[in-house]
Amino acid sequence: MNEIIVVKGLVKRYGEITAVDSISFSVEEGSLFAFLGPNGAGKSTTINIISSLLPRNAGEVTVAGFELGRQDKQIREVICSVFQENILDDLLSVRENLILRAGLYGKSKLQAVERLKTVADLMGIRDILPRRFGKLSGGQKRRVEIASRLWTQTLSMTGIKE
């Protein structure tokens, strides 16, 4: 298998504080990877660096063959991060939230409705599409949050062409 993420000697400092201290790892394409550690271990900082949202002090990172610092736009197009806190609107239905997200990414309503079917099936949320996001269980909310982040990656993940 191919390495989809490669991190070598990654360092991030905030003045005197070292948040990430020369870590290295790789993630194989198609694998499940868990990034665990205690509070303050640098997990979020590392993910923010890999996502090109935060600069690094040292080290090398490649994501899907794209080099951090040179091809950040391409990295942001292929990487998908789900935040710890929910960001969707509690008062809107799951369907309304996902269609709204598609609009934020410049998709037409027709594209959004077609993409909704794919993402809903992928995440197993078709049955909760009409329900208000705020009334869902914690696990259901997490699946919908993931679905909302997969929105921009759906075409490449499923092979669908626009």
Side-chain angles (χ1 to χ4, degrees):
M1 294 192 106
N2 295 330
E3 293 177 325
I4 196 76
I5 299 174
V6 178
V7 176
K8 295 180 183 175
L10 186 63
V11 175
K12 177 61 180 176
R13 291 186 194 92
Y14 296 98
E16 300 284 320
I17 298 169
T18 301
V20 177
D21 192 8
S22 192
I23 64 169
S24 299
F25 63 89
S26 62
V27 179
E28 295 290 326
E29 185 175 5
S31 69
L32 178 62
F33 178 80
F35 193 49
L36 306 172
N39 290 344
K43 299 176 304 291
S44 295
T45 299
T46 299
I47 297 301
N48 285 333
I49 293 169
I50 292 170
S51 302
S52 79
L53 301 175
L54 189 64
R56 67 197 185 280
N57 294 101
E60 300 173 18
V61 176
T62 58
V63 177
F66 300 113
E67 185 181 331
L68 184 69
R70 287 185 3 133
Q71 298 171 301
D72 293 354
K73 181 179 183 288
Q74 290 90 337
I75 288 173
R76 286 188 298 273
E77 288 174 355
V78 298
I79 203 160
C80 176
S81 299
V82 177
F83 300 106
Q84 196 166 342
E85 299 296 324
N86 294 328
I87 62 169
L88 297 178
D89 192 315
D90 283 341
L91 299 177
L92 297 178
S93 71
V94 171
R95 175 180 284 108
E96 291 166 334
N97 268 297
L98 293 176
I99 289 175
L100 177 64
R101 293 284 298 174
L104 294 174
Y105 284 95
K107 302 301 175 194
S108 70
K109 185 163 185 176
L110 180 61
Q111 289 171 315
V113 170
E114 186 59 37
R115 194 168 294 194
L116 178 62
K117 294 174 191 171
T118 303
V119 172
D121 288 342
L122 180 68
M123 293 304 301
I125 59 170
R126 188 179 284 257
D127 59 323
I128 61 171
L129 289 174
R131 294 185 54 199
R132 280 192 186 191
F133 181 76
K135 298 290 185 182
L136 301 178
S137 71
Q140 291 170 324
K141 285 181 178 181
R142 181 61 37 209
R143 285 190 303 170
V144 174
E145 288 282 351
I146 292 168
S148 77
R149 294 303 300 138
L150 288 175
W151 207 249
T152 59
Q153 278 73 26
T154 302
L155 295 180
S156 62
M157 288 174 40
T158 60
I160 296 172
K161 303 289 183 211
E162 284 195 85

